[in-house]
């Protein structure tokens, strides 16, 4: 039986076992996002310890796009981290959760309304283009700002001597145009306080990260030579997260997927979709279009790998380079901070068979409530039965979880899940570790279907307390 | 032996019998085909030449660049041949995980286009694999490249049929078992096909990496489907080997047989043992088995070091100071340091790396990176009356140096508390040597 056993935090497991989920789903509707805000303490502590171990001063900016929860944001405030906001809405919400501008970074593509609020609160602005610099000058003048705007210069287009072909990116100022950038900044000195350089790579491959650090570090030197005072190197996010208990299960599932695409085994996906793989006249072609759900070095361990990596041009590690150069590291983890911070519950509406004999479990949720940007989540959910079941021998039931939209393509999982027991109508299905990008990120109320409510759950001695997401604050719960 | 051209030295490799005391099989004679005796060090030398020899004149006159997707041995062989024939060569890959390979190719002058790592937000509409990129390069500039295409080129199989397989049969006659690692699968298939002509009952066994394992040059089960030449039905058996087993096998070959081959050869040897041990007892007559030792051990040092650090022992830097020596090493605050600078003109030594020093240092300090300074101290290179102030990033590494200085008799040595970071944070002056200076 092909399993994809998820890692489940002990608190989360205890909560799913205490049976309160059914009443909550009945009351608040399905699907329901259950957040565990205190779970963020673990990853934050790990990151801080890794920085300390490498003698690097660092700033953690939580990329709040990963989840819209206010409870999480308020918890982040209490944990002392900063926030990376990527829209007016996110900035507004972050300010409302108590953060002041000195703990906020504004990144990504910006409209005037976003820039204005960022300027008014003196946030750190990661500048995406020269046009944005011009816009800042214009708006700063309009606001009659006296303080210089603190900026990070977001650069892109890094290659190294060994000719690593980087993919093109729509973000950042091309490194090759930095002379033009330096001239522009020089001509407008009174407006800017260049705090440093940032980048965000779309890949977690260490070699590319190292190449980017090398180039960014070089550019920081050039900025200092030009009379600026940068001290921050921001390496963005992409710290990976390990979802699965057993990497062998992951490899076995992928091998089964590949075999099925080649026609050697029974399909394990609906319509034998290859998720990026295809059969080209007997040869497997293509490359995987899914996240790596089993990964060895995730989160803070990945940061440690980066800081311990040798910098080819400097004959020392990246961590040593940063601490010797007295540069501060900024990181923008989103997913990595939300490890075990949330699950998504849904009620089973029906169980039936398709014409070709596949078992379909119909849930009161749709794909948009889980799979952001149509990215498949390869992780077995936990079935929480509503009624105590009489003991049946465990079998291997392969099911497809289908959604509540009147659309052929609305599958929660396009890959088959193998369960020891078939779920029944009214049972709760709990999708694990969904807080980061797998709950509200791409959610839609298409067909007037529900956008999931959020609740925050915290442990309370042997029990738990729950709050509507907007009602929770770590500062008021324990008094 | 005398040769007029390096290509004449390709092939005709020795077949070495493995001592039965090593492999332990009672009824089977085991032979290793030492492919690393090829001039460029691996079994790939054969196919590199085979894929180019018919077209080499045309390639030279047309000015084309030879293009391949290779993670190592094929690139090395192709580069060697291209250099000798004065033809440009380029490899496109996302599989070079071994630093030594990259270094050797750099020495040989290879142009390597490494592909981007796997995307964190995979875009279903964007294929990143090397073969797709090569396809794009070829269709973009069809006259610029000669694509040897080792994964689909039938010459890959044919040269092993005509040479490797023939050599084995010429040496041994009957062969009952043939074991090879599967990368492009060309060597195993071509060789086994020739052997089959003479020993119809020969069983060929393919050795692959276990799922998720990394063994250089051979693939795991799922990846094999990407290889055009692969035909599953051809093999009587497949053995999945882990990288731990590959290294164990390699060490056995090195230490007990004098076969200085790499981990892939180790994997193939272990695959042979796994496949044949169960059969050994049941055999009624003596059988012969052959496996391929495909390449040399030398460029896998970092691969081995990562998996078997115990083999290398721990490199201990001579620690002449104890933890409490370091803990008690005296430090100076900023005020005390500034006072000392005026009164005693101390030698201020910044022990960070040179680049960090040049970017910003305490005025009048000199730079001696700490590893170098550690070596110098026991030689007492300063007058014992000299005042010395040691500066490091945060005031910790400097204490180790001061402990050593004190032990060597330097009573006026101190560490700068909080290091240069503290100095900078307190707004005290720093000097810079600009990159243009």
């Amino acid at each position: 039986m092909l399993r994809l056993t998820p890692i489940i935090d002990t608190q989360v497991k205890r909560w799913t076992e205490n049976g309160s989920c059914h009443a909550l789903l009945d009351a608040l509707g399905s699907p329901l996002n259950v957040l565990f805000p205190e779970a963020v303490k673990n990853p934050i502590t790990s990151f801080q310890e890794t920085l300390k171990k490498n003698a690097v001063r660092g700033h953690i900016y939580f990329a709040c796009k990963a989840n819209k929860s206010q409870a999480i944001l308020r918890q982040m405030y209490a944990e002392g981290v900063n926030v990376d906001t990527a829209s007016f809405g996110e900035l507004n919400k972050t300010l409302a959760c108590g953060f002041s501008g000195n703990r906020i970074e504004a990144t990504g593509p910006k409209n005037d309304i976003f820039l204005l609020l960022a300027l008014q609160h003196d946030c750190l602005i990661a500048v995406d283009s020269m046009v944005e610099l011009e816009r800042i000058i214009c708006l700063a003048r309009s606001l009659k700002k006296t303080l210089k705007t603190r900026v990070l210069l977001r650069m892109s287009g890094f290659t190294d001597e060994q000719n690593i072909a980087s993919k093109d990116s729509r973000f950042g100022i091309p490194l090759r145009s930095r002379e033009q950038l330096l001239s522009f900044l020089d001509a407008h000195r009174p407006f800017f306080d260049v705090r440093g350089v940032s980048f965000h790579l779309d890949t977690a491959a260490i070699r590319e990260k190292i190449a980017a650090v090398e180039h960014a570090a070089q550019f920081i030197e050039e900025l200092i030579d030009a009379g600026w005072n940068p001290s921050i190197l921001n390496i963005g996010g992409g710290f990976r997260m390990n979802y699965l208990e057993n990497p062998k299960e992951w490899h076995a599932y992928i091998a089964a997927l590949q075999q099925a695409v080649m026609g050697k085994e029974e399909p394990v996906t609906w319509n034998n979709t290859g998720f990026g793989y295809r059969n080209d006249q007997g040869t497997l072609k293509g490359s995987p279009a899914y996240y790596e759900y089993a990964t060895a070095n995730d989160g803070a361990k990945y940061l440690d790998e980066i800081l311990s990596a040798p910098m080819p041009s400097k004959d020392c590690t990246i961590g040593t380079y940063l601490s010797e150069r007295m540069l501060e590291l900024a990181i923008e983890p989103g997913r990595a901070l939300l490890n075990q911070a949330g699950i998504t519950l849904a009620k089973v509406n029906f169980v039936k068979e398709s014409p070709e004999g596949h078992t379909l479990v119909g849930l009161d949720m749709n794909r948009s409530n889980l799979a952001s940007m149509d990215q498949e989540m390869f992780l077995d959910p936990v079935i929480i039965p509503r009624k105590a079941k009489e003991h049946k021998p465990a079998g291997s039931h392969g099911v497809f979880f289908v959604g509540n939209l009147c659309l052929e393509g609305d599958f929660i999982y396009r890959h088959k899940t193998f369960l020891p027991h078939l779920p029944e109508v009214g049972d709760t299905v709990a999708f694990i570790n969904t807080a980061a990008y797998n709950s509200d990120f791409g959610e839609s109320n298409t067909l007037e279907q529900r956008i999931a409510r959020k609740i925050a759950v915290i442990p309370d001695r042997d029990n738990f307390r729950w709050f509507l997401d907007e009602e929770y604050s770590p500062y008021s719960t324990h008094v | 032996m005398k040769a007029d051209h390096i290509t004449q030295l390709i092939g005709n490799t020795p077949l070495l019998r493995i001592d039965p005391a090593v492999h332990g099989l009672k009824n089977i004679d085991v032979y290793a085909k030492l492919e690393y005796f090829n001039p460029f060090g691996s079994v790939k030398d054969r196919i590199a030449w085979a894929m180019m020899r018919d077209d080499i004149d045309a390639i030279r006159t047309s000015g084309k660049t030879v293009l391949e997707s290779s993670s190592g041995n094929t690139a090395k062989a192709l580069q060697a041949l291209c250099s000798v024939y004065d033809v440009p060569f380029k490899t496109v890959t996302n599989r070079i995980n071994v630093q030594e390979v990259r270094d050797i190719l750099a020495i040989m002058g290879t142009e390597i286009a490494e592909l981007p790592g796997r995307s964190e937000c995979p875009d279903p509409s964007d294929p990143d694999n090397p073969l797709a990129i090569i396809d794009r390069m070829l269709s973009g500039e069809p006259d610029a490249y000669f694509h040897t295409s080792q994964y689909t080129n039938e010459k890959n199989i044919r040269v092993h049929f005509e040479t490797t397989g023939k050599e084995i049969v010429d040496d041994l006659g009957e062969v009952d078992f043939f074991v090879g690692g599967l990368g492009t699968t060309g060597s195993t298939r071509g060789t086994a096909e020739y052997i089959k002509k003479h020993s119809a009952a020969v069983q060929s066994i393919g050795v692959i990496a276990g799922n998720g394992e990394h063994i250089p040059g051979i693939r795991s089960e799922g990846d094999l489907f990407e290889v055009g030449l692969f035909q599953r039905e051809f093999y009587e058996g497949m053995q999945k080997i882990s990288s731990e087993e590959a290294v164990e096998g390699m060490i056995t070959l090195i230490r007990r047989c004098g076969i200085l081959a790499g981990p892939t050869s180790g994997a193939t040897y272990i695959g042979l043992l796994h496949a044949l041990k169960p059969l050994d007892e049941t055999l009624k007559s003596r059988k012969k088995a052959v496996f391929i030792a495909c390449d040399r051990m030398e460029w896998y040092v970092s691969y081995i070091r990562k998996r078997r650090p115990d083999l290398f022992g721990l490199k201990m830097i001579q620690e002449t100071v104890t933890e409490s020596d370091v803990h008690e090493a005296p430090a100076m605050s900023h005020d005390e340091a500034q006072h000392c600078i005026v009164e005693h003109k101390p030698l201020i030594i910044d022990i960070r790396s040179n680049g960090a020093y040049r970017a910003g240092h305490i005025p009048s300090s000199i730079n001696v990176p700490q590893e170098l300074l550690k070596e110098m101290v026991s030689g007492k290179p300063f007058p014992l009356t000299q005042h010395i102030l040691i500066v490091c990033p945060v005031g910790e590494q400097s204490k180790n140096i001061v402990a050593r200085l004190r032990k060597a008799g330097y009573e006026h040595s101190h560490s700068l508390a909080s290091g240069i970071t503290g100095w900078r944070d307190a707004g005290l002056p720093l000097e810079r040597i600009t990159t243009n200076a």
Side-chain angles (χ1 to χ4, degrees), chain B residues 287-303:
Chain B
K287 303 287 182 191
K288 289 183 224 162
V290 177
F291 74 96
I292 294 193
C294 63
D295 70 358
R296 307 176 59 86
M297 68 180 261
E298 279 83 359
W299 74 4
Y300 295 109
V301 174
S302 62
Y303 178 93

Side-chain angles (χ1 to χ4, degrees), chain B residues 386-407:
Chain B
Q386 177 73 50
H387 285 257
I388 305 174
L389 182 59
I390 304 294
V391 180
C392 77
V394 294
E396 282 180 18
Q397 294 154 352
S398 45
K399 292 183 76 163
N400 186 297
I401 302 289
V402 170
R404 289 165 190 266
L405 283 168
R406 291 264 167 166
K407 211 161 191 158

Side-chain angles (χ1 to χ4, degrees), chain A residues 252-263:
Chain A
Y253 204 105
I254 297 305
L257 170 67
Q258 292 168 330
Q259 303 266 19
V261 166
M262 297 308 297

Side-chain angles (χ1 to χ4, degrees), chain B residues 1-215:
Chain B
M1 65 184 300
K2 190 175 78 73
D4 292 314
H5 198 273
I6 194 84
T7 50
Q8 292 169 354
L9 299 175
I10 297 176
N12 290 307
T13 55
L15 196 63
L16 179 69
R17 185 166 171 271
I18 307 284
D19 181 354
V22 176
H23 61 70
L25 298 171
K26 298 193 186 57
N27 298 308
I28 308 178
D29 286 322
V30 179
Y31 293 86
K33 182 100 171 107
L34 304 184
E35 284 300 296
Y36 60 83
F37 268 66
N38 279 302
F40 316 126
S42 86
V43 65
K44 297 295 195 173
D45 299 3
R46 298 182 189 256
I47 70 168
W49 184 223
M51 295 189 296
M52 276 178 51
R53 76 193 297 176
D54 295 337
D55 299 282
I56 187 63
D57 292 326
I59 297 170
R60 288 173 90 178
T61 49
S62 68
K64 283 186 180 181
T65 299
V66 174
L67 181 66
E68 182 51 87
S69 170
S70 165
S71 60
N73 283 318
T74 310
K76 188 166 57 140
L78 284 170
Q79 179 64 74
L81 290 165
C82 287
S83 301
V84 163
Y85 281 99
D86 198 23
V87 157
F89 169 66
K90 182 170 177 161
T91 181
V92 177
T93 177
N94 62 3
R95 280 179 174 270
I96 298 188
N97 292 309
V98 180
Q99 184 59 37
E100 292 93 328
V101 169
R102 207 177 275 117
D103 292 343
I104 300 282
L105 291 175
I107 295 172
M108 294 176 74
T110 310
E111 193 187 338
I112 306 173
E114 280 196 72
L115 293 182
R118 284 262 299 269
S119 172
E120 281 305 285
C121 283
D123 175 357
S125 64
D126 164 51
D128 303 315
N129 76 51
L131 301 177
I133 305 255
I134 290 187
D135 281 339
R136 283 211 293 266
M137 285 167 76
L138 292 172
S139 51
E141 290 178 280
D143 298 321
Y145 297 105
F146 178 81
H147 183 206
T148 38
S149 190
Q150 61 168 336
Y151 289 99
T152 59
N153 194 331
E154 291 287 327
K155 288 179 181 173
N156 181 345
I157 300 181
R158 200 172 341 133
V159 70
H160 287 296
F161 183 88
E162 290 169 358
T163 63
T164 325
K166 182 172 189 305
E167 290 161 25
I168 291 174
V169 171
D170 286 350
D171 280 342
L172 283 186
E174 280 285 314
V175 175
D176 304 287
F177 303 101
F178 176 70
V179 188
L182 302 184
T184 63
T185 78
S187 59
T188 315
R189 253 188 68 195
T191 311
E193 274 178 8
Y194 188 93
I195 297 176
K196 236 187 181 79
K197 276 180 48 179
H198 290 84
S199 307
V202 67
Q203 287 192 38
S204 50
I205 296 158
V207 171
I208 60 179
N211 285 327
E213 297 280 349
H214 164 56
I215 301 178

Side-chain angles (χ1 to χ4, degrees), chain A residues 55 57 162-167 201-205 207-209 218 220-222 224-225 231 238-240 248 250-252 255 258-259 262 264 276-278 282-292 314 316 320-321 323-328 335 373 375, chain B residues 90 96 99 102-103 106 111-124 126-129 131 135 211-212 221-223 225-230 232-233 351-357 359-360 370 393-394 397 420-422 424-425 430 432 434-436:
Chain A
R57 275 194 191 169
Q162 273 157 8
N163 208 358
I164 296 186
S166 255
K167 283 201 297 208
L201 297 182
D202 185 37
T203 174
R207 276 192 58 75
E208 282 192 65
K209 286 267 183 349
Q218 172 63 29
I220 288 180
E221 300 294 338
E222 289 169 22
I224 296 176
D225 282 339
S231 64
F239 289 89
R240 296 179 165 155
K248 282 191 163 53
W250 170 246
H251 293 302
Q258 292 168 330
Q259 303 266 19
M262 297 308 297
K264 311 276 177 187
Y277 286 117
R278 65 183 195 282
T283 304
L284 185 74
K285 288 209 173 159
S287 59
Y290 44 75
Y291 193 80
E292 279 286 308
K314 300 272 182 287
C316 66
T320 306
Y321 171 78
S323 76
E324 285 192 350
R325 272 306 279 110
M326 299 182 283
L327 292 175
E328 290 153 30
R335 191 186 299 256
M373 298 187 297
Q375 277 236 8
Chain B
K90 182 170 177 161
I96 298 188
Q99 184 59 37
R102 207 177 275 117
D103 292 343
E111 193 187 338
I112 306 173
E114 280 196 72
L115 293 182
R118 284 262 299 269
S119 172
E120 281 305 285
C121 283
D123 175 357
D126 164 51
D128 303 315
N129 76 51
L131 301 177
D135 281 339
N211 285 327
E221 198 163 22
D223 293 341
F225 287 113
E226 290 176 15
V227 176
L229 296 176
F230 179 59
R232 175 65 186 84
E233 316 76 61
I351 62 171
R352 295 175 298 156
S353 61
N354 187 250
Y357 166 83
Q370 60 177 314
V394 294
Q397 294 154 352
I420 194 160
T421 311
R424 193 265 322 253
D425 287 349
L430 290 175
R432 185 176 163 81
T434 56
T435 44
N436 301 320

Side-chain angles (χ1 to χ4, degrees), chain A residues 55-76:
Chain A
V56 171
R57 275 194 191 169
H59 308 282
I60 302 172
Y61 285 86
F62 167 55
C64 67
K65 65 174 77 65
N67 193 294
K68 297 189 172 82
S69 159
Q70 288 178 68
I72 297 269
L73 213 42
R74 288 187 172 123
Q75 188 77 46
M76 292 291 177

